[in-house]
């Protein structure tokens, strides 16, 4: 077990580093993407891979025990709640008549009615 | 009844995992809380196929593994798009077919769509789901059909057994 | 090393705050607030490990739950203007169970 420790440790840091990078990518996407609906995808990057990798990295920091269980539990809750709240926000925007930005900029000629018809 | 026992076991595990103090006093508090919650759940009559979806069984784990791989793949795609200077996006609203016939199945499918970045569920209707897709690649109806089929199979597990 | 991870999380939170300030619509702000909350959960957990006190995980767990409820509460309040439960039955579809 002791011989494995440095290996587990470096894998852990690899996970933490990649997770941080995905968090930053998501944050950049949150600023760069053109409209609300597109930004939900950036938030999705943060909520899934960013959090997932960081939580896995933290799990490897210690031996398996109660803290591992708690980290799994945090991941579990985020895994269930993040798509639900994303959906709640997106659905609320959709019901309120928020129109998605499309590539032919300015010509948002009501994608909603396009779909409804 | 088996659902009540499963709820009790899950709650007991939760208590043991979060508490970390294994003295008789604290443990008896734990037992009391667990029994209390199970009784309330029974009285509220929420221990049905939705509240305690035991029928999904071990297939749920397999589905999660598959979903995890999909999430990583679509995350890499979304990350590449966000970081590319020209940002080659083509946002569109797509309508995915959903063949699930329970609310639980539809929720699993809709949440799986939202969990894969690049697609966000914006409305659930009978028989189909409105999805906002970031690019042409994520608006792929065939890929959605594969996921739809998997969720329907997962949901159907209970009818078989 | 944990400091670097915490710094990355803080930068992400900063980006989310900028989006929250810029808007332009309410839903952008709700989304940014939700992302900020997720980042906070991670920050609490990482800070706990950084200080050698993983007990912080309990707080992170609690924050994850509060964050979810908070997001739904903002949305409900923005749509109905109140948080009480005296809504007409036909309007209780905030979570979109069935329209």
């Amino acid at each position: 077990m002791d011989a494995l420790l440095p290996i587990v440790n470096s894998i852990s840091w690899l996970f933490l580093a990649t997770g941080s990078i995905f968090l930053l990518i998501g944050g950049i996407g949150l600023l760069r993407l053109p409209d609300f609906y597109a930004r939900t995808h950036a938030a999705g990057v943060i909520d899934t891979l960013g959090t997932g990798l960081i939580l896995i990295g933290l799990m490897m920091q210690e031996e398996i025990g109660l803290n591992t269980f708690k980290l799994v539990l945090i991941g579990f809750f985020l895994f269930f709640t993040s798509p639900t709240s994303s959906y709640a926000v997106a659905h609320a925007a959709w019901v309120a008549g928020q129109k998605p930005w499309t590539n032919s900029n300015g010509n948002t000629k009501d994608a909603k009615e396009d779909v409804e018809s | 009844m088996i659902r009540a026992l499963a709820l009790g076991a899950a709650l007991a595990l939760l208590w043991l995992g979060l508490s970390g103090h294994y003295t008789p006093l604290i443990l008896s508090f734990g037992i009391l809380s667990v029994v209390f919650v199970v009784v309330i759940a029974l009285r509220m009559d929420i221990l049905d196929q939705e509240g305690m979806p035991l029928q999904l069984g071990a297939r749920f784990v397999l589905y999660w593994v598959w979903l995890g791989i999909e999430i990583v793949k679509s995350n890499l795609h979304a990350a590449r798009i966000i970081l590319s200077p020209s940002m080659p996006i083509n946002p569109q609203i797509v309508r995915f077919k959903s063949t699930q016939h329970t609310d639980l199945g539809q929720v699993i499918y809709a949440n799986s769509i939202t969990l894969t970045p690049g697609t966000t569920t914006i409305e659930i209707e009978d028989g189909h789901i409105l999805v906002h897709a970031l690019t042409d690649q994520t608006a792929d109806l065939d890929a959605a059909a594969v996921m739809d089929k998997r969720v329907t199979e997962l949901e159907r597990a209970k009818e078989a057994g | 090393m944990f400091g670097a991870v915490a710094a990355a999380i803080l930068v992400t939170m900063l980006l989310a705050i900028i989006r929250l300030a810029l808007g332009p619509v309410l839903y952008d702000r709700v989304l940014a607030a939700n992302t900020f909350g997720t980042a906070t959960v991670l920050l609490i957990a990482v800070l706990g490990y950084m200080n050698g006190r993983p007990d912080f995980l309990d707080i992170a767990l609690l924050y994850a739950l509060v964050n979810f409820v908070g997001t739904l509460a903002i949305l409900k309040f923005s749509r109905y203007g109140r948080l009480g439960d005296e809504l007409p039955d036909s309007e209780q579809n905030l979570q979109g169970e069935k329209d």
Side-chain angles (χ1 to χ4, degrees):
Chain A
M1 191 63 206
D2 278 352
L4 278 177
L5 211 58
I7 303 173
V8 173
N9 213 16
S10 27
I11 295 175
S12 159
W13 285 113
L14 191 69
F15 271 104
L16 286 170
T18 341
S20 308
I21 290 168
F22 271 99
L23 281 185
L24 291 175
I25 290 174
I28 293 166
L30 217 49
L31 286 189
R32 280 197 75 196
L33 288 168
D35 88 327
F36 159 71
Y37 292 105
R39 284 176 207 131
T40 57
H41 305 306
V45 172
I46 294 180
D47 284 348
T48 57
L49 210 53
T51 27
L53 289 175
I54 286 191
L55 288 178
I56 293 174
L58 286 181
M59 277 175 218
M60 290 183 182
Q61 284 291 318
E62 278 192 352
E63 299 194 354
I64 291 176
L66 286 189
N67 287 328
T68 322
F69 179 75
K70 284 175 191 168
L71 283 169
V72 171
L73 216 56
I74 293 175
F76 209 66
F77 281 133
L78 288 178
F79 189 79
F80 278 110
T81 57
S82 89
T84 313
S85 44
S86 285
Y87 168 72
V89 183
H91 184 72
W94 181 254
V95 167
Q98 191 76 26
K99 295 195 180 74
W101 182 92
T102 52
N103 238 352
S104 45
N105 200 359
N107 180 23
T108 46
K109 65 140 183 101
D110 214 352
K112 183 166 181 174
E113 261 146 45
D114 243 25
V115 173
E116 303 288 353
S117 61
Chain B
M1 199 59 226
I2 187 141
R3 287 178 204 278
L5 287 177
L7 177 68
L11 288 172
L13 190 70
L14 189 69
W15 178 281
L16 292 176
L18 289 182
S19 123
H21 295 282
Y22 304 120
T23 57
L25 178 71
I26 302 285
L27 281 180
S28 54
F29 285 163
I31 293 168
L32 275 179
S33 317
V34 169
V35 171
F36 191 54
V37 171
V38 171
V39 167
I40 290 179
L42 281 174
R43 273 180 63 94
M44 284 173 79
D45 201 22
I46 53 169
L47 290 173
D48 49 12
Q49 290 191 340
E50 245 172 62
M52 202 71 206
L54 285 179
Q55 73 276 8
L56 299 176
R59 296 201 200 192
F60 206 40
V61 179
L62 284 179
Y63 177 72
W64 271 9
V65 172
W66 177 81
L67 183 64
I69 296 168
E70 291 297 306
I71 288 174
V72 172
K73 273 196 275 185
S74 55
N75 260 302
L76 292 175
H77 178 67
R80 205 175 307 130
I81 283 167
I82 289 171
L83 289 183
S84 67
S86 61
M87 241 186 10
I89 63 171
N90 181 21
Q92 50 199 293
I93 304 284
V94 224
R95 175 174 284 195
F96 286 170
K97 222 163 86 79
S98 72
T99 54
Q100 295 78 31
H101 46 265
T102 61
D103 285 353
L104 180 68
Q106 275 201 324
V107 167
I108 296 175
Y109 183 39
N111 270 3
S112 304
I113 288 174
T114 309
L115 272 173
T116 47
T119 46
T120 305
T121 307
I122 53 179
E123 185 148 18
I124 304 174
E125 295 160 3
D126 275 337
H128 50 253
I129 289 177
L130 282 189
V131 171
H132 183 269
L134 189 60
T135 59
D136 290 333
Q137 192 189 322
T138 56
D140 185 4
L141 288 176
D142 296 334
V146 173
M147 184 184 274
D148 178 47
K149 195 162 153 277
R150 278 184 178 263
V151 179
T152 307
E153 276 169 12
L154 175 77
E155 177 198 62
R156 205 166 284 151
K158 68 158 182 280
E159 283 155 30
Chain C
M1 283 292 261
F2 277 120
V5 180
I9 297 172
L10 280 171
V11 172
T12 310
M13 288 166 90
L14 182 71
L15 293 172
I17 282 261
I18 294 173
R19 175 45 70 197
L20 200 144
L22 289 178
V25 293
L26 168 81
Y27 307 104
D28 282 305
R29 299 178 207 270
V30 177
L31 190 72
N34 189 31
T35 308
F36 188 83
T38 309
T40 310
V41 173
L42 290 179
L43 186 67
I44 295 172
V46 170
L47 282 184
Y49 273 88
M50 194 164 111
N51 296 331
R53 289 182 59 192
D55 316 328
F56 278 31
L57 285 178
D58 294 324
I59 306 170
L61 189 55
L62 191 67
Y63 201 92
L65 295 172
V66 171
N67 183 38
F68 173 62
V69 176
T71 304
L72 290 186
I74 297 171
L75 284 174
K76 186 172 181 186
F77 189 73
S78 73
R79 186 159 162 198
Y80 300 116
R82 56 176 183 261
L83 292 173
D85 54 0
E86 74 276 23
L87 299 174
D89 279 349
S90 58
E91 283 187 12
Q92 287 183 334
N93 56 3
L94 185 73
Q95 289 170 46
E97 297 122 8
K98 268 275 140 62
D99 284 34

